[in-house]
C-alpha cells in the first residue's frame, strides 16, 4: 500500500515538473537578437565603424504599431492586429529580398499600439518580436522608442520596461564612417514625470553633438519618433510635432553639429521640410495609414557628399539597389 502511494507521488511530481518546465518555456519572453546597451549598439561601435568605406544604404521605417488599424481606423469592438502582422511581415520579406543587403533596418518608434501597462501590450510585443526575428541575421534591427512605447507621459517604470524589452531609449552608433544619433523624443514632448531622465539625455546629447562637430564623420544623422515639425518651422504646436519652444533651439544645435538629416515617424503619412539645409524627413507607417499614403518604408542611400532617400509602398520596393 505504502509502495503504491510512493509510486503515485513520484509520478505526480514528475508530471508536475514536466508541466512546470513546459509552462516556463512557453511563457518565456521573446527577446530581440540584438539591442542597444551602454548607449551604443553591438557591432556598430566607433572603434570599428568610424572610417568611411564608400557608399551604402539602410532602411528607415516607422510605426509598425500592431493594433492601430482595428482599434482606431476600423473601430472594432475587440481589435486584433492581424493586418499589421501581415504588413510588417511583407516589409521584412521585401527587405530580405533586396540586393545588396542594407546595412541596417531602423524603425522609428511605435512598435505596437497598446500603451505600457495595458492588457494588450504584452501579446502585441510578443508577436512583433517574433516578426522581427524573421529579419535576416545580417541585417541589424535598430529600435527607436515612440510615445506608444514609453507612454505619452513617460515614467521611470515605463522607460525601464522599454529598455528591458527593446534596449536603450537613446544611444549613438557608427556605421561605415557615419555617426548616427538616436534620441527619445518623448523627453522633449512631455518630460513632466521624468525630468531627471530628460536632463540626463540632454547632457548626453550635448556630448554627442560635440563629437559630431569634430568633422571626423562623413555624415551625421539623427533618428527620433516625433518630428520637430511636419511641414515647416513656424507651424503651430500639435499632437504630431514637438513644441515651438524647443524646436528652433534644437535644430540650430543639430545644424551647428553638422547634422543635415533628421528621420522621424509618428505622423502616419509622408511629410517634412527644411531648417536651412537641414532636412526633417517624416516617414509614413509600415502599419496603419492616417494621411492617404500606402504602407511602406524609406530606402536611404549615403555617398561621399549626399544623403538621398525614397519612400516605397511595400508592393513597389525594388529588389536591386544601385549605389552609384
Amino acid at each position: 500500500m505504502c509502495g503504491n502511494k510512493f509510486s503515485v507521488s513520484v509520478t505526480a511530481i514528475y508530471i508536475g515538473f514536466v508541466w512546470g518546465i513546459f509552462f516556463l518555456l512557453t511563457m518565456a519572453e521573446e527577446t530581440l537578437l540584438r539591442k542597444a546597451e551602454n548607449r551604443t549598439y553591438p557591432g556598430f561601435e566607433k572603434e570599428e565603424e568610424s572610417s568611411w568605406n564608400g557608399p551604402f544604404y539602410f532602411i528607415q521605417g516607422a510605426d509598425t504599431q500592431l493594433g492601430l488599424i482595428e482599434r482606431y481606423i476600423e473601430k472594432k469592438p475587440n481589435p486584433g492586429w492581424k493586418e499589421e502582422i501581415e504588413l510588417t511581415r511583407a516589409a521584412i520579406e521585401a527587405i530580405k529580398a533586396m540586393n545588396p543587403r542594407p546595412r541596417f533596418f531602423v524603425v522609428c518608434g511605435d512598435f505596437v499600439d497598446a500603451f505600457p501597462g495595458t492588457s494588450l501590450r504584452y501579446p502585441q510585443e510578443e508577436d512583433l518580436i517574433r516578426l522581427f526575428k524573421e529579419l535576416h541575421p545580417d541585417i541589424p534591427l535598430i529600435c527607436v522608442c515612440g510615445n506608444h512605447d514609453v507612454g505619452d507621459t513617460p515614467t521611470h517604470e515605463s522607460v525601464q520596461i522599454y529598455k528591458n524589452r527593446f534596449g536603450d531609449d537613446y544611444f549613438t552608433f557608427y556605421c561605415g564612417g557615419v555617426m548616427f544619433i538616436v534620441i527619445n523624443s518623448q523627453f522633449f514632448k512631455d518630460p513632466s514625470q521624468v525630468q531627471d531622465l530628460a536632463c540626463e539625455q540632454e547632457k548626453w546629447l550635448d556630448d554627442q553633438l560635440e563629437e559630431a562637430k569634430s568633422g571626423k564623420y562623413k555624415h551625421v544623422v539623427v533618428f527620433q519618433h516625433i518630428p520637430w515639425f511636419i511641414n515647416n518651422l513656424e507651424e503651430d504646436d500639435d499632437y504630431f510635432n514637438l513644441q515651438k519652444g524647443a524646436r528652433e533651439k534644437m535644430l540650430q544645435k543639430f545644424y551647428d553639429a553638422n547634422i543635415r538629416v533628421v528621420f522621424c515617424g509618428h505622423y502616419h503619412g509622408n511629410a517634412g521640410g527644411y531648417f536651412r539645409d537641414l532636412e526633417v524627413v517624416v516617414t509614413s507607417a509600415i502599419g496603419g495609414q492616417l494621411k492617404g499614403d500606402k504602407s511602406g518604408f524609406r530606402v536611404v542611400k549615403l555617398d561621399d557628399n549626399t544623403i538621398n532617400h525614397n519612400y516605397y509602398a511595400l508592393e513597389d520596393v525594388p529588389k536591386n539597389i544601385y549605389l552609384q
Side-chain angles (χ1 to χ4, degrees), residues 15-289:
I15 292 172
F17 174 78
V18 170
W19 274 105
I21 294 296
F22 176 77
F23 176 80
L24 289 173
L25 288 173
T26 55
M27 290 302 291
E29 260 191 3
E30 290 286 343
T31 56
L32 294 171
L33 297 177
R34 279 182 281 185
K35 55 187 179 182
E37 56 185 355
N38 300 317
R39 303 300 175 202
T40 190
Y41 189 93
F44 285 147
E45 293 89 355
K46 179 165 62 173
E47 294 74 17
E48 287 77 29
E49 288 284 347
S50 60
S51 298
W52 177 249
N53 293 315
F56 66 92
Y57 81 101
F58 63 84
I59 304 299
Q60 186 243 344
D63 300 278
T64 46
Q65 205 158 339
L66 272 61
L68 174 75
I69 294 172
E70 291 194 5
R71 178 192 67 84
Y72 183 77
I73 299 174
E74 298 177 354
K75 301 189 185 303
K76 292 187 177 180
N78 297 300
W81 45 94
K82 180 181 178 182
E83 189 168 347
E84 288 95 346
I85 286 176
E86 292 173 352
L87 291 168
T88 304
R89 178 167 284 125
I92 288 170
E93 291 303 313
I95 292 168
K96 286 163 62 175
M98 297 171 83
N99 181 47
R101 293 192 184 107
R103 288 300 307 271
F104 59 85
F105 172 32
V106 57
V107 181
C108 286
D110 282 5
F111 307 125
V112 303
D113 185 60
F115 281 102
T118 58
S119 61
L120 292 180
R121 179 74 191 184
Y122 185 81
Q124 288 177 356
E125 282 184 348
E126 289 285 284
D127 283 350
L128 182 74
I129 292 174
R130 289 189 193 100
L131 281 169
F132 281 160
K133 285 183 175 179
E134 296 178 14
L135 191 65
H136 194 282
D138 290 344
I139 305 174
L141 174 74
I142 309 293
C143 293
V144 181
C145 71
N147 59 305
H148 280 258
D149 304 313
V150 296
D152 281 335
T153 301
T155 64
H156 287 81
E157 181 182 19
S158 70
V159 172
Q160 189 58 53
I161 290 171
Y162 172 84
K163 290 172 69 174
N164 292 343
R165 199 75 153 128
F166 292 99
D168 285 349
D169 55 324
Y170 59 90
F171 55 97
T172 303
F173 68 98
Y174 302 81
C175 179
V178 178
M179 181 182 186
F180 295 94
I181 302 173
V182 173
I183 65 173
N184 182 343
S185 58
Q186 213 57 33
F187 289 163
F188 291 97
K189 188 69 169 178
D190 184 0
S192 57
Q193 300 298 312
V194 287
Q195 288 287 354
D196 57 332
L197 299 183
C199 289
E200 288 174 12
Q201 177 180 248
E202 184 175 358
K203 182 179 182 302
W204 169 89
L205 181 55
D206 284 343
D207 291 341
Q208 306 314 301
L209 297 181
E210 283 302 312
E211 175 70 13
K213 289 179 184 178
S214 68
K216 298 176 184 176
Y217 310 105
K218 183 64 70 172
H219 304 286
V220 185
V221 174
V222 171
F223 297 121
Q224 59 191 74
H225 179 61
I226 302 179
W228 296 103
F229 56 78
I230 302 302
N231 295 301
N232 64 77
L233 185 71
E234 300 303 322
E235 67 194 25
D236 292 337
D237 292 352
D238 185 81
Y239 172 79
F240 288 111
N241 62 22
L242 293 172
Q243 290 87 338
K244 271 186 174 182
R247 197 181 295 165
E248 185 168 5
K249 170 190 170 185
M250 291 307 302
L251 287 171
Q252 184 64 56
K253 289 174 75 169
F254 286 177
Y255 188 87
D256 292 342
N258 302 315
I259 294 163
R260 294 297 179 266
V261 185
V262 178
F263 289 101
C264 319
H266 188 55
Y267 189 57
H268 293 258
N270 288 304
Y274 285 86
F275 171 79
R276 300 188 180 181
D277 58 340
L278 187 165
E279 186 178 13
V280 174
V281 179
V282 183
T283 296
S284 195
I286 291 172
Q289 302 298 307

